[in-house]
Amino acid sequence: MKPNYKTAYLRDIAGMALVLALCAGTSRSEPMGEPHLQIVPRDASEAAKVAAVVAISTDFSQPERFEHRPAGLATLMDAPSRKSFSMPQPNLNEDQGLDFVLGQSLFEKLWVTPPSATVSSDGLGPLYNARACSICHIGNGRGRPPLDDTDRLGALFLRVSVPDEASSLAPDLLDKMSNAPEPTYGLQLQDKSVAGLPAEGRLAVRYSPVAVTLADGTIVELQNPEYALQNPGYGDLHPQAQFSPRIAPQMIGLGLLEAIPEADILAHADPDDQDGDGISGRANLVWSKEYDQWMLGRFGLKAGASTVRAQSMAAANGDIGLSNSLFPAASGDCTAQQTACLNAPDGNTAAQGGVEASDPVMDLMTFYSQTLAVPARRDVDDPEVLKGKSAFYQAGCPACHVPKFVTHRLADRAEHSFQLIWPYTDMLLHDMGEGLADNRPEWRANGREWRTPPLWGIGLTQTVSGHSRFLHDGRARTLLEAILWHGGEATAAQQAVIAMPKSQRDALIAFLESL
């Protein structure tokens, strides 16, 4: 087993000096912080106890204490079902339970084309990807790519941009944007539109086989995706256009991830690999429109959003075309080249605060997203699962998929306060190699880097979503395929899995399916 799993966490639980050091020397060097949280600071005694609780386990003969409750008191203890990712945290009070139901109704609401008699429901488009959040986040689980050209249930979408140097926007403006928009198509390809406007096009995918031979002779055939833009509605893309195909990620436990102390995340960062373990996790820094400052990126496939609210409001605008207080353009992602889109009717009304999705609407949708419960682990004491857990650790997977954290004590969010959670992520960016590279940066993330995705709930993907597609674009059809696509910093772990005998490899998959 690798002896070092980011012991910097134990050396510097406070972490603020590390926060500033990580920011220093970059173009985005302003201090970060957590202005969205009302934090009750830990004293030295409590910090020491937390450090002991989250220390990496070395005993695989039995489950760890509370391991069956990956979200602490926020864990859903019901039997697995298709609704396992759609239930509220069980530790919500009665008023919060009502807010959850209201937020769910808004999350599932079908928005309509403006103008409409239902002013609280119009504002769709003019260009958009879906009429409701739940269309891409089916059951709040993972989306999947289309299976063929006739499949309209796939939830694959395309982020687009150009390099900063190819943009006509001013450098000071670009510095506070995730990317430079593609001049005609903006930051995202919208494949649907309101009547009278052409959609921006459709993303098609074809797969070619890539065979990987494991040490025991087993041959696993991976699918290498090739993407093409069909029927572009507004002309050719910029010759330097950058693309990032993506599927919708699962949504459970977001409020708990938001409540992980920033310092605890940054204590796992090692951008220069000073400990020599080959893992160089980096923090993404994003400009917060909410708080007018640089903040740690936590959400999205490249950690491009700092809070659940910011992520929700960006998605409402980019995916559905809804203006809101953070993204007030009623035309959504339309560009200056799309004049008909800019001139289309909108749903901005005084009743909604001059936008299409008012702050109360977005607050309820945010609360719903923050409080979706994490299901309980299954079979934590099964000998096969424990054997697989040992294999997971021996392969070095916890270097990025950090098993556990303790959330902040929060004065205003008891439902997320001081919980021992097991998300299996460090929330940092890692170079995943050329095979997974999209070659499109996002804030500080480069074209080979992705945020470590949380693994909690991954074993219920088939139960909830009816498929088993993984990775950022859904190319992997099994968990083993997903592991074999790992490269870059994860090459050593990938090679360890390739070298495993079948019995150990099967146990590893059993462990992952128990999460």
Side-chain angles (χ1 to χ4, degrees), residues 366-379:
T366 298
F367 183 78
Y368 172 74
S369 300
Q370 288 173 326
T371 54
L372 286 163
V374 177
R377 284 276 309 277
R378 285 86 51 214
D379 304 320

Side-chain angles (χ1 to χ4, degrees), residues 211-226:
V212 177
T213 303
L214 308 184
D216 62 5
T218 300
I219 297 176
V220 180
E221 186 176 279
L222 306 183
Q223 288 187 317
N224 187 41
E226 300 174 4

